[in-house]
Amino acid sequence: MSPPSAMFAEPAPVSAPLPTKAPLKDQVKVAGNYSSTSTLAEVTSDWEKFTFNPIRESQVSRAMTSRYFKDLDNYAESDVVVIGAGSCGLSATYMLAKARPDLKIAIIEANVSPGGGAWLGGQLFSAMVMRKPADAFLREIGVPYEDEGNFVVVKHAALFTSTLLSKVLQFPNVKLFNATSVEDLITRKDAQGNIRIAGVVTNWTLVTMHHDDQSCMDPNTINAPIIISTTGHDGPFGAFSVKRLVSMQQLEKLGGMRGLDMNVAEDAITKGTREIVPGMVVGGMELSEVDGANRMGPTFAAMALSGCKAAEEVLRVFDERKAQNDE
């Protein structure tokens, strides 16, 4: 056995290794024929000599995955989670992110393409109708429209949706996780046994769709003191949060969406947008399943203004929910 002095002796100093040249597989030419200040006219001036800057396939993979997993890490603790990136969810996010740039906002959207049903006006028609005074929101985000008196018309619904989406995604405090589903809600009980929503349980949508024909694929989670749920009326992914509240016995039952009545529906949805249970604000057509509100059909004023009210409701209770979440 070695003597104690030998067992605990200081290790011999090791010289720092000399820098070595990166392996060939990691070496990539830094710049090609064009600089970061090249104009489009310069780039397209001579197609015979045109070539893209060089890249390795591994660089593409690392550029995507490193950022995605950094976002997963960063937003595992969020301030607000918005479920559903339709017109209501995006409007709510826009208003929140603008009012509170300090809040970290995660949007969870089940589809690859955000926007919900707002890419078309109705029955595959292009134009989007919004009743006044929702035209104020169009002016806020810079979408032109034709004034028809009591309502306005955007020439294509995709113009509204793409404009709103682009503005939301430019906020540095917002992250959209699309092709991602909410599979459950994180809950907490207070001393009296009352339930508070404290986040969401997520999975990639393709995984969610195949739970029945694959082995168990456990989900991921995002903690947040408050969520906004705007998953739309009942359907495959619709009204998810409020249906889950019923199964958790936090709502006795759903009211069920009533028949189409634009005049009644849009007022009811906008005014009724609120915190349904502590930690969950519900807006848009998901609310119709709670309150038994009428369907509104192909008019989008309430979608935008319900989102505005949802943002107000979050800010009204945020400090209280944040304090509860930190306990």
Side-chain angles (χ1 to χ4, degrees):
M1 182 174 178
S2 301
S5 59
M7 293 175 62
F8 297 101
E10 288 291 326
V14 179
S15 300
L18 294 174
T20 57
K21 191 174 182 180
L24 180 61
K25 65 183 180 66
D26 291 333
Q27 295 178 38
V28 176
K29 186 179 178 183
V30 174
N33 297 329
Y34 312 104
S35 72
S36 58
T37 59
S38 296
T39 65
L40 183 60
E42 291 170 338
V43 169
T44 60
S45 62
D46 189 345
W47 289 111
E48 290 297 322
K49 295 181 179 179
F50 173 85
T51 182
F52 287 105
N53 283 11
I55 197 169
R56 285 189 65 80
E57 290 77 6
S58 60
Q59 288 183 298
V60 176
S61 178
R62 286 170 172 165
M64 294 186 297
T65 58
S66 63
R67 286 165 175 79
Y68 190 87
F69 287 107
K70 182 179 179 180
D71 286 333
L72 283 177
D73 179 68
N74 187 31
Y75 284 87
E77 283 282 353
S78 293
D79 294 307
V80 183
V81 172
V82 179
I83 310 176
S87 47
C88 182
L90 291 174
S91 299
T93 305
Y94 172 84
M95 297 300 291
L96 267 179
K98 181 181 178 183
R100 291 288 300 272
D102 58 308
L103 296 184
K104 193 160 47 175
I105 306 169
I107 312 174
I108 311 298
E109 169 55 45
N111 286 303
V112 171
S113 174
W119 291 109
L120 291 165
Q123 197 172 321
L124 305 183
F125 300 145
S126 301
M128 172 178 277
V129 175
M130 281 197 182
R131 293 165 62 201
K132 292 181 177 178
D135 54 322
F137 188 74
L138 296 177
R139 292 192 293 275
E140 165 70 22
I141 63 173
V143 173
Y145 56 81
E146 300 171 33
D147 195 321
E148 296 286 351
N150 285 338
F151 65 93
V152 300
V153 182
V154 179
K155 68 177 182 179
H156 202 300
L159 175 61
F160 165 77
T161 307
S162 60
T163 301
L164 178 56
L165 182 61
S166 69
K167 288 184 176 295
V168 166
L169 294 180
Q170 287 179 59
F171 284 111
N173 56 324
V174 173
K175 171 60 184 179
L176 168 67
F177 295 97
N178 52 325
T180 303
S181 294
V182 171
E183 294 190 338
D184 207 347
L185 305 171
I186 299 173
T187 61
R188 298 284 187 268
K189 281 186 178 181
D190 63 18
Q192 290 73 42
N194 300 312
I195 291 292
R196 175 173 55 83
I197 307 303
V200 294
V201 179
T202 65
N203 219 326
W204 285 317
T205 301
L206 291 177
V207 173
T208 299
M209 294 170 65
H210 287 278
H211 281 313
D212 292 337
D213 56 45
Q214 296 291 326
S215 60
C216 178
M217 293 174 280
D218 282 328
N220 202 358
T221 56
I222 299 177
N223 284 104
I226 193 161
I227 70 171
I228 301 175
S229 191
T230 62
T231 66
H233 53 70
D234 198 4
F237 291 101
F240 171 82
S241 296
V242 297
K243 287 189 288 189
R244 188 69 183 98
L245 290 180
V246 172
S247 65
M248 291 191 300
Q249 300 181 335
Q250 297 307 298
L251 289 177
E252 181 181 353
K253 63 179 181 179
L254 295 183
M257 184 174 61
R258 304 296 196 264
L260 192 150
D261 186 332
M262 289 182 181
N263 289 293
V264 172
E266 290 208 287
D267 285 1
I269 294 300
T270 303
K271 292 178 179 179
T273 299
R274 64 194 185 279
E275 189 180 38
I276 297 295
V277 297
M280 180 192 288
V281 172
V282 178
M285 289 311 294
E286 185 168 8
L287 188 66
S288 69
E289 302 290 354
V290 178
D291 293 346
N294 291 86
R295 183 176 183 176
M296 64 187 63
T299 176
F300 290 82
M303 294 295 93
L305 295 192
S306 175
C308 294
K309 189 164 189 289
E312 290 181 5
E313 291 294 301
V314 167
L315 296 178
R316 181 178 63 82
V317 300
F318 179 77
D319 290 340
E320 180 182 359
R321 300 292 171 251
K322 180 72 164 61
Q324 292 170 331
N325 200 59
D326 292 342
E327 290 176 354

